[in-house]
Amino acid sequence: MDPVSLRIANRLAGSSDGAAALEVGGPGVELLVDADVVTISAAGPDMVWRIDGVSVAPNASRTITRGATVTLRPGRGAVYLYVGVHCGIDVPHVFGSSSFHVRSGVGGLAGQPLAVGDVIPVKARSSPELELDGSLVHHADDSVIRVIEGPQSEHFSPAAWETLLSTPYRISARSDRMGVRLEGSTLTHTDKGYNIVSDGIALGSIQVPGNGQPIVLGADRQTTGGYPKIAVIARADMFRFAQRPPGATVRFQSISAEQGADALRRLVGYLDRLVLRSALPVLNSERLLGLNLIDGGVWE
Amino acid sequence: MTETTSAPRVLPRFLSAGDTALVVEFGETVDPVVNRRVMQLGDAARAAEIPGLVDLVPTFRSLLVHYDPLVTSRGAVEASLRGLLSDRDSEAKEGRLWEFPTLYGSEFGPDLEDVAKRTSLTPERVVELHAGTDYKVYMMGFMPGLAYLGIIPKELELPRRSEPRVRVPAGSVSIAINLTNVYSDESPGGWHLLGRTPVRLFDLQRDPPILLAAGDRVRFRSVAKDAYDDLAERVKSGDTSFHPVDAGESA
């Protein structure tokens, strides 16, 4: 849901941008290392993680050894964090993707969500320990989300469009990777109604069913749907929107498709210029003995 | 959804779908002519290899075009698509023809009696009408492998059930409004269940996993319980292969 944090997690782990990683929501996760050595990373706004009870810098990678316990929790003002693993998590590609689609059970570990006791297959290798130089891009005006006109804007009166742009909407707890429900001022349809003959749904589409409360369609959305879509969230703001937790509010601001493309270009520029610095070396005999010195040496 | 018999030859509308997609809308109804125009542009766009084009989602009446705004622009994509619009409707290419053995009624089609009552037909006549028509795949959507087929005989048209079911078994053959479909997996659903086919529309272990494609033709053949059971047994043992009775013109 937050491809920016995902990409940063993969970069920190020394993996390619498309490498499979873990998306962690809810209260977080505890992982036990069942490999001789592995470099893992964690990224996400305000995330917290500990290795064997010792707090680690956010947005960083660490090389850890068999038996270590890693606890990770998404930030209180956020929803997701991402755990990268050097060389990626070893899952088969389905339809050209290593993602897991919850509803259809396609992809991931044998088509099932992760459960307590599962073993996550990784290539046990180490890579330099890194930290993000500076903070994540997520916090800049994170309650203002830019939107572009949607394909069924004609199903709404100018007053409804005005309402969407001038009143706050609260993120509902009844939200998931398929749809994020919003609560706020009712968006009234014109006499064209709220049933359309199904058409395609772009990521971030804001559809409005009969009750007038908008739903933003996320990464696991259906490909087609029959409710009118008043607007679509700018792609460059989708990752920040996805990180807004239940109870938080957002305000929408209208931009053009061209302005959206410019914003996306700036975001990609930020990702291209990301500076990762070497983590401070913390070497002691216990760690040295635990590291694999034969394959590639110690990286610090 | 209403069926119109002829769609006027007007230029499609180009609609905004955010900053990474646009919609080419040919109409607002379920209509064979409108749908053929969608397919025609979709085929042409696929063949033209437009730079920056990421994906195409053809639907009943519109084409959703995903593009990469870092490679191209909405204006450039729109211009390319306009250049591909034909001023003539192509001859409809005959898609593959599939024949799905279907066990109608009883617990396999729990709504057959109700549909008969509400349409003032006998259950036998409902089956005769439903199985006596060749349908076209207007659109793939909703869940992996699911095809929207139309258009059903006017006598069978009913709105969706007022109370959707929480659990509809995979393979359920159903109708709603002027369409029919086969549930490709177990799912909630509000359509009227007339019967069930053992044919699996979606199976990851099969190549390709998704059986049908937009433009294909489908007919249902009413079979007895033992014929249904034979095929169901084969599918259950892992053999989900299934072949069209006519390869169509694309072969």
Side-chain angles (χ1 to χ4, degrees), chain B residues 152-228:
Chain B
I152 62 172
K154 197 104 195 145
E155 300 97 299
L156 297 179
E157 280 191 23
L158 285 173
R160 288 183 187 83
R161 283 165 57 86
S162 49
E163 282 288 314
R165 284 188 173 82
V166 178
R167 196 185 141 273
V168 174
S172 292
V173 173
S174 64
I175 57 169
I177 317 175
N178 55 4
L179 301 172
T180 178
N181 81 17
V182 181
Y183 282 84
S184 53
D185 204 347
E186 187 183 299
S187 125
W191 291 35
H192 307 272
L193 312 183
L194 298 186
R196 206 181 302 169
T197 177
V199 177
R200 292 285 300 274
L201 296 193
F202 180 64
D203 177 17
L204 271 178
Q205 308 310 321
R206 182 179 58 200
D207 184 27
I210 291 173
L211 197 66
L212 298 177
D216 281 1
R217 292 167 296 150
V218 173
R219 76 165 67 115
F220 298 93
R221 182 163 50 88
S222 177
V223 297
K225 179 88 167 52
D226 48 348
Y228 175 93

Side-chain angles (χ1 to χ4, degrees), chain B residues 20-241:
Chain B
T20 62
L22 60 84
V23 171
V24 191
E25 186 184 79
F26 288 84
E28 297 187 15
T29 54
V30 177
D31 179 283
V33 177
V34 167
N35 189 247
R36 202 181 311 142
R37 288 173 187 163
V38 172
M39 298 297 168
Q40 197 179 344
L41 181 63
D43 289 345
R46 219 172 280 281
E49 295 182 9
I50 299 167
L53 198 138
V54 175
D55 201 6
L56 297 165
V57 183
T59 73
F60 290 111
R61 42 72 167 226
S62 61
L63 182 69
L64 176 65
V65 181
H66 292 278
Y67 63 88
D68 181 350
L70 301 179
V71 175
T72 184
S73 66
R74 181 191 286 185
V77 174
E78 189 176 321
S80 302
L81 293 169
R82 280 193 193 282
L84 296 172
L85 285 173
S86 170
D87 51 4
R88 258 183 320 152
D89 287 326
S90 64
E91 288 291 307
K93 207 161 56 178
E94 286 283 29
R96 298 172 296 178
L97 176 63
W98 303 85
E99 195 175 273
F100 291 163
T102 303
L103 179 54
Y104 284 94
S106 72
E107 77 262 32
F108 295 86
D111 295 331
L112 179 61
E113 297 282 340
D114 184 52
V115 167
K117 211 173 297 166
R118 293 176 59 180
T119 54
S120 310
L121 300 165
T122 62
E124 294 73 25
R125 182 64 186 149
V126 170
V127 172
E128 206 174 270
L129 284 168
H130 186 262
T133 309
D134 284 2
Y135 303 105
K136 197 182 90 167
V137 178
Y138 275 82
M139 176 175 104
M140 306 296 293
F142 184 59
M143 63 181 177
L146 188 128
Y148 291 88
L149 308 166
I151 291 172
I152 62 172
K154 197 104 195 145
E155 300 97 299
L156 297 179
E157 280 191 23
L158 285 173
R160 288 183 187 83
R161 283 165 57 86
S162 49
E163 282 288 314
R165 284 188 173 82
V166 178
R167 196 185 141 273
V168 174
S172 292
V173 173
S174 64
I175 57 169
I177 317 175
N178 55 4
L179 301 172
T180 178
N181 81 17
V182 181
Y183 282 84
S184 53
D185 204 347
E186 187 183 299
S187 125
W191 291 35
H192 307 272
L193 312 183
L194 298 186
R196 206 181 302 169
T197 177
V199 177
R200 292 285 300 274
L201 296 193
F202 180 64
D203 177 17
L204 271 178
Q205 308 310 321
R206 182 179 58 200
D207 184 27
I210 291 173
L211 197 66
L212 298 177
D216 281 1
R217 292 167 296 150
V218 173
R219 76 165 67 115
F220 298 93
R221 182 163 50 88
S222 177
V223 297
K225 179 88 167 52
D226 48 348
Y228 175 93
D229 286 343
D230 284 351
L231 183 54
E233 201 51 50
R234 176 162 77 77
V235 168
K236 209 175 151 195
S237 72
D239 180 6
T240 60
S241 61

